Amino acid sequence: MNEGRLTLLKNENKGLKESLRQKDKELSFFIEVGKALTSTLKFKEILKIIMDNAQKLVKSEAWSILLVDEKANELYFELAKGEKVGKIKDIRLKMGKGVAGWVAKKGAPLIVPDVSKDKRFFSGVDKKTKFKTKSILCVPIISKNKTLGVLELINKKDGNSFEQKELDLMLKLIDHAAIAIERSMLYERTAELAVTDDLTKLFNFRFLDQRLEDEIKKCKKEGGSVSLIFLDMDHFKLINDNYGHLMGSKVLIEIAQILISALRDMDIIARYGGDEFVIVLPDTCTKTTFRISKRIQSLIRKHTFLRDDGLDARLTASFGISTYPDHANSKLELIRLADQAMYNVKNRTRDDICIAQSEKRGLYGKWKADNH
């Protein structure tokens, strides 16, 4: 064998060894990524793992994960690292707009070596952040043929444009994450179903019951009060009888939206069953709870139900209120007193508000607004 041929074989052998070392290194890396991804069922933690490992694989000046808001048909920044990231929190991109929007809409990865030469690039983000984008690598995050968002890397650290081998690494990373994402979404969906009402998407009573217990424990430890509102729609059966159960379900969804709009994020709203709703108001006294009930009562009275279906349905509701520790010494007593106060209204006039009084004081009475 001549010397030239021997040198060629040595070089080939050296190249193969280097390639094997690189493959072994890559395999070890993705084994560790897999372990990290299987260590959690929380979607946001999985996204963070993706983000952290993307930067280990390909050094860039900035990188972000944008998620799809299906209702708005937009992308929003869920995670971002690099310079000027604080200024992108409120930026949203329409599906199809910009490189990230294009990747999300098409469900296809993309390298843009020079954004100044690509019509898909949207300069609005740079203008707001004062960041200079030169090149982009962007891959879709897909689960069960549905695009959830995109992973975007901007400006390779060495100044060169991104290459196909780096795109391949990002695709491998997302492939490894796909199963973890599916597990996470299934877990979160199952957890959501366990605590929410399937129709209205409000909490179910099981969840509210636990939260109410927690709030009462807090009151016992730190002082303060927690109030409960029982709300029952008046003559709701007529909606089902006159328009059908589908329209009745739509009315319940509209009622849920009214309650959400009228209350604080910290308040817990649950569907008790049928056309009954229960509201827990932490750190709220009886007088304030009465005012909140009056506001909800007014919103329900003024609302035109089933307008989108060409109907003009009007409804009212009956309210019962109780407060811990003013009226009750326990969770069960608090629930029972609010429920009885509501039925006091149902059996008397409907479309009114009744406040429970401690059983030691004997009576349930209508709270007269002019006396308070």
Side-chain angles (χ1 to χ4, degrees), residues 242-305:
N242 293 332
Y243 304 123
H245 287 279
L246 177 60
M247 293 297 106
S249 295
K250 288 186 176 183
V251 166
L252 293 174
I253 293 170
E254 290 185 46
I255 293 165
Q257 293 306 309
I258 290 172
L259 296 178
I260 291 169
S261 69
L263 295 162
R264 305 166 296 181
D265 290 342
M266 66 184 290
D267 299 327
I268 304 112
I269 315 165
R271 184 181 176 202
Y272 187 60
D275 57 333
E276 283 189 347
F277 299 84
V278 186
I279 302 162
V280 173
L281 302 172
D283 302 316
T284 308
C285 66
T286 305
K287 189 172 183 179
T288 301
T289 302
F290 174 77
R291 289 173 180 163
I292 292 169
S293 298
K294 288 291 288 184
R295 182 166 72 245
I296 297 171
Q297 181 188 43
S298 177
L299 288 171
I300 291 173
R301 282 175 176 171
K302 292 175 181 177
H303 187 77
T304 302
F305 290 92

Side-chain angles (χ1 to χ4, degrees), residues 98-100 102-103 108-112 118 120 136-140 162 167:
V99 173
W102 185 92
V103 169
L110 183 66
I111 293 175
V112 179
D118 197 302
R120 289 168 293 196
I136 297 174
L137 185 158
C138 193
V139 297
F162 296 103
L167 178 60

Side-chain angles (χ1 to χ4, degrees), residues 17 84 172 211 287 299 326:
K17 285 182 178 180
K84 317 285 186 178
K172 283 184 181 179
R211 285 297 306 273
K287 189 172 183 179
L299 288 171
D326 296 2

